Amino acid sequence: MKKIITLIMLFCLLISCERKELNFSEEMIEKLADPGEVKNGVIRLPPPPASFSDLYVLTNNNEILLSSVGELLFLYKGYYSKEFNSFESFLDAVLNHEFVLDKRLYKKPTYLESFKLNPNIEEEYTDLGFNSFLKKYSRETVSKRLALNRKIIKEDEYSTVVYILFKNGYDISSDCYLGIDYIRKREDSFK
């Protein structure tokens, strides 16, 4: 009887465990890892999601690094190529938050800045849940696209709001001419 109860409890535990959803799928990582190529002096850039996306990775001092595929490729080649057998596996680890970067490696002024999360925005996100958080910090534009509601976001809150969107599968594309930050589902960018 004890064995049956133990097996039932084990089975319930296994089916109740929530499977962590990846921030980037295998197909997305594959596209991001595409470095482009040079043939006969002509440069083929990587596909648009890879060349234009902001990427956020964790550091070992509890900061978030705003980066890009190019910056991550530089860090991989310079510091992490012995730990990972390919750039693709490195991207998978850092973008799905299974590996943190060493902050000491990017102290040069050419690297993008890192930031700490705003605790007030984090708490609000926890209290509201993602859907209500998205609703609060977004607005519909005249062209029926979803955009950040910059009017309610203070300067010291912007990075945290964008990071929370990023971690929930949304990216920002900025229209510098109109001054609008559009919000788009990451999966739509990779179709």
Side-chain angles (χ1 to χ4, degrees), residues 9-24:
M9 287 175 55
L10 181 62
F11 179 73
C12 290
L13 180 67
L14 287 173
I15 61 170
S16 69
C17 289
E18 188 177 317
R19 194 181 136 224
K20 183 182 173 190
E21 195 169 313
L22 297 176
N23 206 8
F24 285 83

Side-chain angles (χ1 to χ4, degrees), residues 19 24 94 101 132 135 147 166:
R19 194 181 136 224
F24 285 83
V94 297
L101 298 179
S132 296
K135 194 176 284 189
F166 174 83

Side-chain angles (χ1 to χ4, degrees), residues 74-83 105-106 108 111:
F74 176 79
L75 288 172
Y76 167 73
K77 285 181 176 181
Y79 306 106
Y80 295 107
S81 59
K82 291 181 179 159
E83 288 181 58
L105 300 178
Y106 58 90
K108 294 180 183 176
Y111 293 141

